[in-house]
Amino acid sequence: MAEKNSHSAGFISRKSLLFLFTLTTFLFIFSWFFVLRSTGQPQLIDYSLLPNSKLFATIDNGSSQSRNVEPSIPGPSSSMTHPSDSIPNTSNSLDENEEASAERDVTICDSNKVVLKVFMYDLHPEFHFELLDWKAERNNIWPDLQTKIPDYPGGLNLQHSIEYWLTLDLLSSSFPNRKGVGSAIRVHNSSEADVIFVPFFSSLSYNRNSKVRSPHKKSTNSVLQEKLVRFLTNQEEWKRSGGRDHVIMAHHPNSMLDARMKLWPAMFILSDFGRYPPNIANVEKDVIAPYKHVIKTFINDSSGFDDRPTLLYFQGAIYRKDGGFVRQELFYLLKDEKDVHFSFGSVQKDGIHKATRGMHSSKFCLNIAGDTPSSNRLFDAIASHCVPVIISDEIELPYEDVLDYSEFCIFVRTSDAIKEKFLINLIRSISKEEWTRMWNKLKEIEGLFEFQYPSKENDAVQMIWQAVARKVPAIRLKLHKSWRFSRTKDGSKRASTVVPWSRSKHLWRDLS
């Protein structure tokens, strides 16, 4: 009898526990129903009532998309304004009824944008114009640009010449006879500046002085980088920010390999991230700038679809290392295809003129990853109005936060491109109307990639400055946070210490 009562009590206890578990589970699910109901419907939020509503975005399938039609380019200060211009950006993935409401303009330069204030170090001429064989007179640091502008060497040197154009633009930014308003102006008090500019012609230094010449044990390029590190890390401007607000040009992939580990907190201006680990350079803190195209711009281009006899064009180095293996794979896939030009080429023996003629007479131009993800070929294609076909999975593109490359480029994954007949069938499937739309878009945006002096509104120089300006708010946020507890007894800022962070999604860590 006792055993039976014990069994009955155990049964009731298990039944009670089951009931309690069921009730708890129900209450938990019921409570989450209300939580999800209150937070899971972003479409019910009226974003027009929020401040800076044009910048708000929602998350859809893991990607951020702008809710409004005209993303603005924020500026870091508020002293001057810039004339406006826009580039239309129409979605292709919507039906006709949706296109009317979704059509949008990507504002490259708007009337509310302010000028970036830049403090530039007066570095010794050995870091910049002396590399162009310019000889300083009377201890001058800079050439007199209103008398004579030093020439930059031609050929392939030109493709990484952003250092030259940006420095010229800053030096002339305060000329009284300067036409128009630029995107950046030089200030002579670093405390007033948004960023600190380092005028080291690093790409030219690498191209000209990277070889060790006897009896020296180091190359001139390595010596200059060592001098630069010592100079910068001893400056009060560097100590104040840990280098975060400094802008360093390293457009050639090999141009700052000696110094990058010591100067990594700075904002690098790069062509891509191919030679850089993600904790040293990444898209969050650095700026990707275009190459200067080396073939001639197609002026007064009226050559339509039927006037360009070559369907697909590539001329360059075929056998490359690293990610460039795809070039040789594509060579064997495409070399016998009708109306496809795929051959080896270089700048030697009239190579640039041949490439100019080839691209100007082609409908599509291949831009394939080489030793690094990017190449000058993309910008040669844009200048030729030859629709770029980009096969480079790791490529980062200039000003892609304000410019939709899918409107004038074809992107193909490497894994697809090397499939038998995939690429050629894809290219042949693009209609005349689709190609013409992209061709017209190329003619519309080509000026965004033009380097020139004097710089003009929304050319490559101004676009790079605007890209730098868009990084400034994030730099300031990080600096202001690092200064919360970083004050000495006399009230001055104490430089915070920064170390690389092991994960690419984090830029740096402050140590007090």
Side-chain angles (χ1 to χ4, degrees):
M1 186 69 176
E3 183 179 352
K4 183 177 180 181
N5 290 338
S6 174
H7 178 75
S8 300
F11 176 77
I12 295 172
S13 176
R14 287 195 297 273
K15 188 174 182 180
S16 300
L17 287 174
L18 179 63
F19 174 77
L20 182 61
F21 175 78
T22 303
L23 179 62
T24 303
T25 302
F26 174 78
L27 291 174
F28 178 79
I29 295 173
F30 192 67
S31 64
W32 268 104
F33 170 77
F34 285 100
V35 172
L36 293 174
R37 185 179 181 184
S38 64
T39 61
Q41 300 184 17
Q43 67 273 19
L44 298 180
I45 298 174
D46 187 352
Y47 282 86
S48 64
L49 300 177
L50 297 174
N52 298 323
S53 59
K54 293 182 180 181
L55 300 179
F56 279 81
T58 58
I59 303 299
D60 182 20
N61 294 327
S63 62
S64 296
Q65 295 183 349
S66 174
R67 284 188 60 90
N68 279 346
V69 300
E70 191 176 285
S72 61
I73 299 177
S77 54
S78 58
S79 57
M80 302 176 69
T81 59
H82 197 290
S84 62
D85 194 11
S86 63
I87 290 183
N89 176 10
T90 306
S91 173
N92 298 322
S93 60
L94 305 174
D95 61 37
E96 292 182 359
N97 293 329
E98 291 174 319
E99 281 183 352
S101 61
E103 185 173 348
R104 62 195 186 278
D105 289 339
V106 175
T107 302
I108 297 302
C109 185
D110 62 43
S111 58
N112 295 319
K113 188 189 70 64
V114 294
V115 172
L116 182 74
K117 294 178 181 179
V118 183
F119 175 80
M120 180 166 64
Y121 288 120
D122 285 322
L123 287 179
H124 189 279
E126 67 177 337
F127 289 99
H128 42 81
F129 285 99
E130 276 190 5
L131 292 167
L132 298 172
D133 300 322
W134 172 75
K135 302 299 181 183
E137 297 180 358
R138 297 184 298 275
N139 295 321
N140 289 335
I141 294 175
W142 304 106
D144 182 359
L145 300 185
Q146 301 193 73
T147 301
K148 178 173 172 49
I149 302 168
D151 294 325
Y152 199 90
L156 289 181
N157 288 289
L158 278 173
Q159 62 181 336
H160 297 297
S161 59
I162 66 161
E163 50 208 25
Y164 174 73
W165 307 104
L166 292 178
T167 304
L168 289 180
D169 189 63
L170 276 186
L171 290 173
S172 63
S173 63
S174 58
F175 284 178
N177 57 347
R178 175 167 174 163
K179 295 181 180 179
V181 179
S183 297
I185 188 169
R186 185 185 183 191
V187 297
H188 295 277
N189 186 340
S190 63
S191 64
E192 299 175 359
D194 300 308
V195 292
I196 312 296
F197 185 75
V198 182
F200 175 38
F201 290 4
S202 59
S203 296
L204 187 60
S205 177
Y206 173 78
N207 282 331
R208 287 196 157 186
N209 299 315
S210 58
K211 294 182 179 180
V212 178
R213 292 180 171 86
S214 181
H216 303 289
K217 296 182 179 180
K218 293 183 178 180
S219 69
T220 300
N221 179 52
S222 294
V223 171
L224 284 177
Q225 290 185 55
E226 291 175 0
K227 287 184 177 180
L228 184 68
V229 170
R230 287 197 299 270
F231 172 84
L232 290 178
T233 54
N234 283 323
Q235 301 308 302
E236 288 303 317
E237 289 82 6
W238 184 277
K239 294 176 182 178
R240 184 172 62 213
S241 68
R244 297 185 188 93
D245 57 358
H246 283 52
V247 177
I248 297 176
M249 299 168 289
H251 201 256
H252 192 291
N254 295 328
S255 60
M256 287 290 286
L257 295 188
D258 295 331
R260 64 183 185 178
M261 293 296 291
K262 297 177 181 177
L263 302 179
W264 73 269
M267 181 193 308
F268 292 127
I269 301 183
L270 307 166
S271 58
D272 59 44
F273 299 118
R275 300 280 166 85
Y276 285 77
N279 58 330
I280 300 300
N282 53 72
V283 74
E284 293 180 70
K285 79 174 183 70
D286 302 310
V287 169
I288 297 297
Y291 294 66
K292 186 183 189 307
H293 61 82
V294 296
I295 71 167
K296 294 182 180 179
T297 302
F298 201 161
I299 300 174
N300 299 323
D301 176 16
S302 60
S303 62
F305 186 84
D306 297 324
D307 301 314
R308 292 177 174 242
T310 302
L311 175 68
L312 185 61
Y313 183 90
F314 177 88
Q315 185 161 309
I318 294 175
Y319 299 98
R320 309 302 289 176
K321 56 187 178 181
D322 300 328
F325 78 94
V326 68
R327 290 191 183 185
Q328 63 195 66
E329 296 284 335
L330 289 173
F331 171 71
Y332 293 115
L333 288 172
L334 298 172
K335 63 185 180 68
D336 296 325
E337 290 288 344
K338 181 184 177 182
D339 59 18
V340 172
H341 176 93
F342 199 121
S343 69
F344 176 82
S346 70
V347 297
Q348 306 297 325
K349 298 181 180 179
D350 202 37
I352 292 178
H353 290 93
K354 290 179 181 178
T356 298
R357 291 193 298 270
M359 287 187 166
H360 286 193
S361 60
S362 300
K363 298 178 179 68
F364 298 92
C365 287
L366 278 169
N367 181 75
I368 316 169
D371 292 345
T372 60
S374 68
S375 76
N376 189 53
R377 196 167 284 100
L378 168 62
F379 307 99
D380 286 341
I382 291 173
S384 304
H385 313 144
C386 178
V387 175
V389 180
I390 299 176
I391 306 173
S392 181
D393 297 345
E394 304 300 324
I395 196 169
E396 295 288 349
L397 298 167
Y399 4 109
E400 196 170 9
D401 53 340
V402 296
L403 188 61
D404 183 358
Y405 281 78
S406 67
E407 292 191 333
F408 52 89
C409 295
I410 304 296
F411 291 85
V412 183
R413 293 184 180 89
T414 299
S415 59
D416 290 330
I418 59 178
K419 294 176 182 176
E420 186 77 23
K421 294 292 184 179
F422 181 93
L423 182 61
I424 193 64
N425 288 341
L426 172 65
I427 299 303
R428 294 194 192 281
S429 71
I430 298 174
S431 67
K432 178 179 179 178
E433 292 72 26
E434 176 75 359
W435 180 88
T436 302
R437 182 189 62 77
M438 290 188 285
W439 175 70
N440 283 322
K441 190 68 178 180
L442 284 168
K443 293 193 292 183
E444 183 181 340
I445 56 87
E446 64 177 336
L448 305 178
F449 304 95
E450 290 292 340
F451 290 90
Q452 55 205 330
Y453 179 79
S455 176
K456 297 181 181 178
E457 183 178 349
N458 288 342
D459 66 4
V461 173
Q462 302 306 318
M463 290 295 290
I464 292 171
W465 286 131
Q466 292 172 36
V468 171
R470 293 194 292 276
K471 301 289 186 181
V472 170
I475 293 172
R476 284 184 172 169
L477 175 63
K478 200 70 182 180
L479 284 176
H480 293 170
K481 284 189 173 183
S482 73
W483 288 339
R484 287 177 178 178
F485 306 105
S486 300
R487 288 194 174 272
T488 59
K489 292 181 179 179
D490 62 0
S492 61
K493 293 284 193 317
R494 182 174 69 246
S496 58
T497 303
V498 290
V499 296
W501 190 232
S502 59
R503 297 178 182 176
S504 60
K505 67 179 180 180
H506 296 289
L507 297 183
W508 48 65
R509 173 188 286 175
D510 294 321
L511 300 176
S512 57

